[in-house]
Structures are given as structure tokens and as C-alpha cells.
């Protein structure tokens, strides 16, 4: 079993572990991007694979390493606290604070609750991490909670190695401080005098002799520094970001502390061991960098110094006053050490080392672990104020501060406890057993873009897994994606066979997600069924009707008689044919559809940042808006609503606003919502009085606006109680009764309100199923004349029909061969239901 919130990183890393344990992954490749040298730190998972190879099961092979790494890291935090502050208490408290990140996010969460009892109930039932205020840049993934360490099991061990070196260095600095400056000068430092007034006159030969003597002396007299460098140099294969963090801190330690020549030796040893690893990790197929190494602001949008300070203040909350208090009382040695550790803040906010800027969180994770010792020292100082009045006040303040710091951390333990789990079958899994028995350990599969699957758990690699992981590691995903599409869409069997052999693919696996034309629009399974032997078939439909074909060693004899495939002219595209692309009539993950008073259809072409206009017969008429953030421009539009005069309202999701446009797209107005402003407005609906209802998904609420943009009402908050939501996706208004219907798919229901947000009823919808990794795009539309509510069911590819009391009447699907694939929006036109399909990038008609 693996939890949803740990699925993202742990899933592909389990595949990496299995590729070592039961596969043959040498030279090492990334299992989700087979055929290229690995560009991802893998040593932790290599070790877990070895443990399984030696007899442990897959669960314990990774969990034993995880447990030992975390326990040892916490013990090392205690040791560092004792060495740095000469106090076991500070070390232990600092280690305990690892579990409580101290964010202020609990304050708005608790303030939003109606009562203390309601707050306790909300905490106990919490399924998502507390909102940080930065949800669209990855900050709601729990990266300041223990979730970062459940996902990235290799992180704790790498930080532990770095702590070993810090403990050694602090111990040396303290000994030198105790023994006095003259007595503690090492033989190395004695052999190379400090630069004096005549330093510039030293000849190049003399300088070279001194360096040579320094290195030789260092190797004899200071092996501890060399050893520290060697173990730091081993980090890139274990966790490259921690190695970068260690390098930044050591630069500052070199500048601020003695033993500079010894530190140079440490750096030389680290570089010697690390350089081959870095070169190896960079040897995979890389794409052209689309980002600069220098990046100001981390995940803060439109960053200024004030915004960055606000971000740090909010994220680490009440730990800051205690850190400041500690720095007032500590010795200069501890202050300099804190300055050195704080170099990680500069690293986080001024540099970028991967396509995912949020990945810099690892630098802040390291910083926080060490900074917690200064927080602990601040609490210690409050507790030990010497005057009687001061002692009482100090202890009360220390207790209150501790309680407040711990509160957010405790609340964020509940989403981990309440998370739902998915099974990763191993012991008796038929597919896994078949793959282990019938395929070679180094076999490569062409398949759906899996995150994890029995094929991967059997240690085999796939040609193209979920691209987010490979992309963040720097692989050329664009080139691979084109080859991947060609092999699964091309109708020329000879070309397909040549591509398969060129890319070393041994097996091709088709399942229903691949057949449904989501990412692969027109799958060519018939070609494989005709020319390639079928070696496995999931007849019981346990794995989405999985069928595996074997790629023969030589081209099938039938290929010789085949005529050459001639390219045919591409027929004119309508919105019903659609297709992925940027041409007129093509879409990229469209999310909104509406009909104007003349019967024309408007489609929010979300990823292409535009709106396309079609006739009711699907003929392309024009583009209404273009990409951008200026007035009248769009970024990821996800919904369109049209009033009686033909003016349109657009949920401009990427720009966090609602825009009002004329029928020709001319700008009329924009609204950014009530405090704290819209965060990813998702859907819109117009009431009988022309009021606008907005699904403000990022803030988990509904906002009602007047036609001039004035806020009339807001309601909703995170939760599963009456009037609460968990990522609502759609709103629809009945113009006769003025009732408001909200799709709340993660809570598997539709909620009903009056026009001011007063809760009326809730309908449970069985088809709104919770599926790991699924998209939730359920959309609602009302036909007031018939008294019907239509709801897309994304997970079951159907449209559900209800009466307005919540009784399910029917389930609709288009006539074959049409089918729904990621139904994301609905519109009613002349007794026809137009369903926008995000996965197949087209519009499908269903007669009513």
C-alpha cells in the first residue's frame, strides 16, 4: 500500500529500487525513461534493491533504510546541538522540533472554523495540508511537513552525512576556542603564514611551493578533514541538492572560521570524489535549458524583498522570534555558524538548479533542521531567566510559543493519517509474475505513461513514463514524446517496427487508458494485433484489459508484401474532429464551453491560452482572445459564461482573475475577487439577475458578484461538512428557483444552496469515484425547462442526469464509435448536449 500524498515521488522511486532488485539496471538508467544514462540520484534505492536481493521483501528493503536514516539524522541533530551549545537539552528539543515546522498557516485555518468543536472536528477529518498561500507553485504539497521525507526517502540520510561533517567542524572550532588561538594553530597553518604587507611580492614559485607543502602536510596531519571531504563527496549519487547545500555552507565556514587550509583540503577531497558522479549524472540526454541558473524569489510570484520576507515569516512563523532571541545571547562562534547555515536562504532565493523551482525546498529543509537548534536555544533562554518575575514570564512565554509552534505541525499530521491508500500488488500479482518469468531482466516496455505498475515492480523499464519526473531531471522529453507518439499512432508497420528496434523496445503493452485516446489520440493497436505475437492478455480485466505484444527479433515476413503508405491530405478540422495542436480547430486540454445568443459555440482552449469560436455545426469561426496577462489576454482560461446581451465572462485561471469581454473579445472589466483574491478561479455561472457565481477553487469557496463586479456573497471552506468543499469544480444556477448547485467531486457529492449561500441539500454521487492520480473535472449544466441537471463523470466517462431534487434519471453516452474521454465541460444547444473532452481535445455531441 502507498498513500496518495507519497505516491508522486515514492512510486517511481520504488520502480528504481525494483530495477536493481529484480531487474538488470546496469549501466544505470531511469526506469521511467529507458535508454539514457540516469540523471537522478539513485544510491539510496540501489542500496534498497540490494537489501531485497539479499532476502528482504520490497516493503522492508526500503523502510529499514528509511527508518535508520531518519533516526540517525535525529540523533545527529542532538549531537550537533550538544557540540554547538554545550547542552543536551537544546540538542533534544531542536531534534524534536523537526516534527513541527512552525508555519502560521494554522491561524487562518482555525479562524475559518465556526466553533472550537468544529475546529477539532475539522482537524480530525483533515485530508489536505494547510494552505500556505502559494498553492499553484507547489507549496500545498506538504513540503514543509513530514510528507517531504515520506516522499523522498533518500533525503534524511544525505542530511545526516552533512550533519556528521558539521559536528566534526564545530567540535574543531570549539577546541580551538578553548585552547586559545596560538596553541591551536595546526601544523598546516603554521607552515603557511598569514598574508602580510609583502604578500603581493611573493613569487609564483614560492606560492606553488607553499601550496604543495600545505597539501602534503595536510594529508599527514589532518586526515579528519580529508575524510570529511570524502564522505561529502559521496553525496551526489545519494542526494545531489544536499551536496550543493553542503558546498554553499562550507564556503561560508571557510570565510568565517579558521582552518582555512584544512578546509581547502576538505574541498579538494570532496571535489575529487564528487566530480565523476556529477559528470555521470549529467551524461544523460539533456534538453536545452529553458531557465537561468540565477532566479530571484523562489516560488514567490512577482517577488520583492518585502514579499520574500513575508514568505519566510509566514512559512516559519514563531520560530523567527526565538532565533533572534538566541542570536542575541549566543557567542560569536554560534552567530557565525548561523550566518554560514543561512547561506542556504541565499541559495534558495537566488538560484535555480532544475526546471522545477519548487525543488529548492530541499535547501530550506536543511536550513530549518539546523535552525531548529537556535529555536531550541531561544526557548532555553526564556526558561532560564534569572529574576523571579522574569522567570515566571519567560516560562509562560516559552510554553505558549512551544504550543503555537507545535500546533501547525500536529494539524499537518492528520492529512497523513487520513490519506487514502492504493495497493501496489507484489506477492501474488499475475502480471508481475508473468513479467518476471517470461521477460528478460533488462527488457524495455512501450506502454501507458505509468508512474508505477506491475511491469515496473518487476524491475523492467518503460520507454516513456509520466514525463514530470524525467523533465525535472533534465531529460529531453520533447524528443522522446514525439517518438513515443509515432510508435503508438503511426499506421506504417515497417516504420513502427524500425522505431521499436532502434529504441531497444522488447514488448508493447496496451491497456484501456492508452486505448481511450487521452494522450495518444489515435492508437494503432490494430497494427500490433495484426503483425506482432500476443503474449499476455488480461481476460479478467484486473489491469484495464492489459494486452502485451512481443517485438520479434526480425521484421515479420508480411512486411515485404506491404505497399508503401502514402500521406493523405488532412481533412478540414471542426470542433468535433479537433485534435491536439495549435492550429484553428485544434485544442490543448480544453476546459470550458459555452453557447452565445446566436447559437455559436465558444471553447476555452486552456493550455493554448485562447478562446475559439465555432458555429453550431462545428465550423471554425475565429479566435477571440490571445495569450498574456494584459487586459483582454488570457492565461489558462478554464470556463466561459455568457449573459443575455452576449457579453462573456472568462475564468482567467492562470491570471487569478475573472474578465468581462465583449462578444468580439474587447476588454470590458476584470475582477480579482474579495480578500485574499481569487486563486485559480475554476468555473462560472450567470444567475437570472445577471449575477456571476465563481468557483474560487484555490480558496475553496464560491464568490457571488454583481454585474459591476461588486462582491455580493462568499461561502464555503475546506472540509466535508455541510457547505464545505474539497476542490469544487463547477457551479450551475437554476434561473427559475435561483438555487445554486456546486460539484464537489472529491467529497463525491453535489451540494445545493440558495442564491446567498445558505446550505439546502447534498446529493451523494456514486460515479464521482476517488481514483489515484485521476483528474477531477466534473462540470454541471442545467436545463430549466425540463428541470434537469447534467453532470459529467470524468472517472466513468458518462454524463449523469438528475432531476432538481437529486434523483438520478439517466446516464448518457454518445453513439459509438464516439466516446467521452475526460469530459470537462457541458453546453446545451437545440436539444443536443455538447460535451468538451479534455483528453481527446474535441467536442462530442449527445442527442437529448
Amino acid at each position: 500500500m502507498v498513500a496518495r500524498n507519497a505516491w508522486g515521488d515514492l512510486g517511481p522511486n520504488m520502480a528504481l529500487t525494483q530495477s536493481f532488485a529484480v531487474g538488470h539496471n546496469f549501466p544505470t538508467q531511469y526506469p521511467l525513461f529507458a535508454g539514457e544514462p540516469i540523471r537522478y540520484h539513485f544510491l539510496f534505492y540501489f542500496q534498497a534493491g540490494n537489501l531485497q536481493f539479499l532476502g528482504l521483501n520490497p516493503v522492508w528493503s526500503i523502510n529499514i533504510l528509511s527508518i535508520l536514516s531518519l533516526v540517525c539524522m535525529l540523533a545527529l541533530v542532538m549531537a550537533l546541538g550538544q557540540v554547538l551549545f554545550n547542552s543536551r537539552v537544546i540538542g533534544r528539543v531542536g531534534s524534536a522540533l523537526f516534527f513541527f515546522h512552525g508555519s502560521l498557516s494554522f491561524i487562518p485555518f482555525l479562524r475559518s472554523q465556526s466553533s472550537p468543536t468544529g475546529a477539532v472536528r475539522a482537524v480530525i477529518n483533515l485530508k489536505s495540508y494547510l494552505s500556505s498561500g502559494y498553492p499553484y507553485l507547489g507549496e500545498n504539497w506538504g513540503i514543509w511537513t513530514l510528507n517531504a521525507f515520506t516522499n523522498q526517502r533518500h533525503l534524511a540520510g544525505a542530511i545526516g552525512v552533512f550533519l556528521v561533517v558539521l559536528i566534526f567542524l564545530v567540535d574543531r572550532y570549539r577546541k580551538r576556542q578553548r585552547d586559545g588561538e596560538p596553541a591551536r594553530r595546526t601544523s598546516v597553518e603554521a607552515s603557511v603564514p598569514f598574508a602580510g604587507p609583502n604578500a603581493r611580492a611573493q613569487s609564483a614559485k614560492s606560492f606553488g611551493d607553499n601550496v604543495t607543502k600545505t597539501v602534503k602536510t595536510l594529508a599527514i596531519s589532518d586526515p579528519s578533514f580529508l575524510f570529511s571531504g570524502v564522505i561529502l563527496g559521496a553525496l551526489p549519487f545519494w542526494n545531489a541538492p544536499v551536496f550543493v547545500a553542503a558546498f554553499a555552507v562550507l564556503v561560508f565556514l571557510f570565510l568565517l572560521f579558521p582552518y582555512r587550509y584544512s578546509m581547502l583540503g576538505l574541498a579538494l577531497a570532496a571535489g575529487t570524489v564528487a566530480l565523476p558522479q556529477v559528470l555521470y549524472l549529467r551524461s544523460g540526454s539533456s534538453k536545452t535549458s529553458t531557465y537561468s541558473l540565477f532566479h530571484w524569489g523562489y516560488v514567490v510570484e512577482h517577488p520583492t524583498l518585502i514579499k520574500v520576507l513575508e514568505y519566510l515569516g509566514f512559512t516559519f512563523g514563531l520560530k523567527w522570534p526565538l532565533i533572534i532571541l538566541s542570536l542575541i545571547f549566543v557567542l560569536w562562534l554560534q552567530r557565525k555558524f548561523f550566518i554560514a547555515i543561512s547561506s542556504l536562504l541565499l541559495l534558495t532565493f537566488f538560484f535555480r538548479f532544475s526546471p522545477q523551482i519548487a525543488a529548492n525546498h530541499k535547501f530550506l529543509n536543511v536550513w530549518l533542521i539546523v535552525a531548529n537548534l537556535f529555536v531550541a536555544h531561544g526557548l532555553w533562554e526564556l526558561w532560564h531567566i534569572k529574576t523571579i518575575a522574569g522567570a515566571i514570564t519567560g516560562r509562560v512565554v516559552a510554553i505558549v510559543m512551544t504550543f503555537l509552534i507545535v500546533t501547525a505541525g500536529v494539524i499537518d499530521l492528520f492529512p497523513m493519517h487520513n490519506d487514502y491508500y492504493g495497493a501496489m500488488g507484489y506477492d501474488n500479482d499475475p502480471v508481475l509474475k508473468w513479467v518476471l518469468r517470461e521477460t528478460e531482466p533488462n527488457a524495455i516496455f512501450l506502454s501507458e505513461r505509468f508512474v508505477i505498475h506491475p511491469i515496473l515492480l518487476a524491475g523492467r523499464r518503460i520507454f516513456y513514463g509520466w514525463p514530470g519526473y524525467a523533465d525535472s531531471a533534465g531529460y529531453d522529453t520533447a524528443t522522446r514524446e514525439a517518438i513515443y507518439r509515432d510508435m503508438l499512432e503511426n499506421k506504417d508497420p515497417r516504420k513502427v517496427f524500425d522505431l521499436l528496434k532502434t529504441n531497444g523496445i522488447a514488448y508493447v503493452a496496451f491497456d484501456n487508458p492508452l486505448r481511450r485516446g487521452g494522450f495518444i489520440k489515435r492508437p494503432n493497436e490494430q497494427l500490433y494485433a495484426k503483425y506482432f505475437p500476443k503474449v499476455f492478455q488480461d481476460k479478467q480485466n484486473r489491469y484495464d484489459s492489459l494486452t502485451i505484444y512481443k517485438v520479434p527479433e526480425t521484421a515479420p515476413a508480411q512486411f515485404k508484401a506491404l505497399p508503401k503508405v502514402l500521406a493523405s491530405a488532412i481533412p478540414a478540422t471542426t470542433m468535433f474532429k479537433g485534435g491536439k495542436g495549435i492550429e484553428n480547430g485544434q485544442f490543448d486540454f480544453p476546459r470550458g464551453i459555452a453557447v452565445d445568443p446566436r447559437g455559436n459555440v465558444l471553447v476555452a482552449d486552456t493550455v493554448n491560452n485562447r478562446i475559439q469560436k465555432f458555429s453550431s455545426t462545428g465550423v471554425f469561426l475565429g479566435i477571440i482572445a490571445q495569450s498574456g496577462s494584459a487586459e483582454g489576454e488570457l492565461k489558462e482560461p478554464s470556463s466561459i459564461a455568457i449573459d443575455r446581451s452576449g457579453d462573456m465572462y472568462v475564468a482567467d485561471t492562470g491570471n487569478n482573475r475573472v474578465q468581462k469581454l465583449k462578444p468580439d473579445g474587447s476588454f470590458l472589466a476584470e475582477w480579482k475577487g474579495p480578500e485574499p483574491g481569487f486563486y485559480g478561479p475554476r468555473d462560472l455561472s450567470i444567475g437570472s439577475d445577471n449575477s456571476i457565481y465563481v468557483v474560487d477553487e484555490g480558496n475553496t469557496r464560491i464568490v457571488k458578484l454583481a454585474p459591476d463586479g461588486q462582491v455580493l456573497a462568499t461561502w464555503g471552506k475546506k472540509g466535508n461538512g455541510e457547505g464545505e468543499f474539497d476542490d469544487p469544480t463547477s457551479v450551475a444556477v437554476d434561473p427559475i428557483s435561483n438555487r445554486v448547485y456546486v460539484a464537489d467531486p472529491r467529497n463525491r457529492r453535489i451540494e445545493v444552496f440558495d442564491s446567498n449561500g445558505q446550505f439546502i441539500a447534498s446529493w451523494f454521487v456514486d460515479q464521482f469515484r476517488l481514483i489515484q492520480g485521476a483528474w477531477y473535472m466534473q462540470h454541471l449544466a442545467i436545463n430549466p425547462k425540463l428541470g434537469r441537471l447534467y453532470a459529467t463523470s470524468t472517472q466513468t466517462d458518462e454524463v449523469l442526469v438528475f432531476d432538481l431534487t437529486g434523483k438520478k434519471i439517466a446516464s448518457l453516452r454518445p453513439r459509438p464509435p464516439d466516446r467521452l474521454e475526460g469530459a470537462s465541460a457541458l453546453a446545451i444547444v437545440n436539444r443536443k448536449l455538447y460535451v468538451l473532452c479534455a483528453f481527446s481535445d474535441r467536442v462530442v455531441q449527445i442527442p437529448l
Side-chain angles (χ1 to χ4, degrees), residues 9-184:
D9 283 340
L10 187 58
N13 287 336
M14 279 296 297
L16 189 55
T17 298
Q18 297 306 102
S19 74
F20 296 126
V22 292
H24 185 78
N25 195 2
F26 301 96
T28 307
Q29 301 174 14
Y30 195 49
L32 274 63
F33 202 89
E36 298 287 351
I38 196 164
R39 296 176 57 84
Y40 182 78
H41 33 247
F42 63 91
L43 206 56
F44 178 94
Y45 306 100
F46 173 72
Q47 181 66 14
N50 277 312
L51 291 177
Q52 185 180 342
F53 182 79
L54 293 171
L56 289 179
N57 64 38
V59 176
W60 277 110
S61 66
I62 199 164
N63 279 348
I64 277 183
L65 280 182
S66 304
I67 293 166
L68 290 175
S69 297
L70 188 60
V71 170
C72 291
M73 187 200 78
L74 294 172
L76 288 164
V77 173
M78 296 182 195
L80 179 60
Q82 183 171 348
V83 172
L84 187 61
F85 291 98
N86 197 27
S87 168
R88 289 186 177 182
V89 172
I90 290 174
R92 289 169 179 173
V93 173
S95 182
L97 287 171
F98 164 80
F99 296 95
F100 313 107
H101 54 87
S103 166
L104 299 180
S105 56
F106 73 97
I107 296 176
F109 172 77
L110 293 178
R111 287 179 62 185
S112 68
Q113 307 304 319
S114 58
S115 66
T117 304
V120 172
R121 186 167 57 249
V123 169
I124 293 173
N125 295 313
L126 193 62
K127 294 180 180 178
S128 58
Y129 295 104
L130 297 183
S131 176
S132 65
Y134 301 84
Y136 285 91
L137 289 169
E139 286 283 84
N140 281 0
W141 301 342
I143 59 178
W144 303 127
T145 71
L146 300 185
N147 189 50
F149 292 85
T150 61
N151 271 274
Q152 302 180 35
R153 300 299 182 91
H154 50 289
L155 188 54
I159 295 172
V161 171
F162 180 38
L163 291 174
V164 169
V165 176
L166 289 182
I167 291 167
F168 159 70
L169 291 174
V170 172
D171 186 55
R172 281 297 181 95
Y173 301 150
R174 276 207 163 277
K175 284 182 179 178
R176 183 177 183 124
Q177 188 182 52
R178 285 195 301 268
D179 297 344
E181 217 33 53
R184 283 303 300 153

Side-chain angles (χ1 to χ4, degrees), residues 473-492:
Y475 287 104
D476 186 359
T477 52
T479 300
R480 174 133 318 182
E481 183 175 302
I483 299 170
Y484 176 76
R485 286 182 181 276
D486 213 4
M487 289 189 290
L488 292 171
E489 290 183 339
N490 199 295
K491 301 303 188 289
D492 183 346

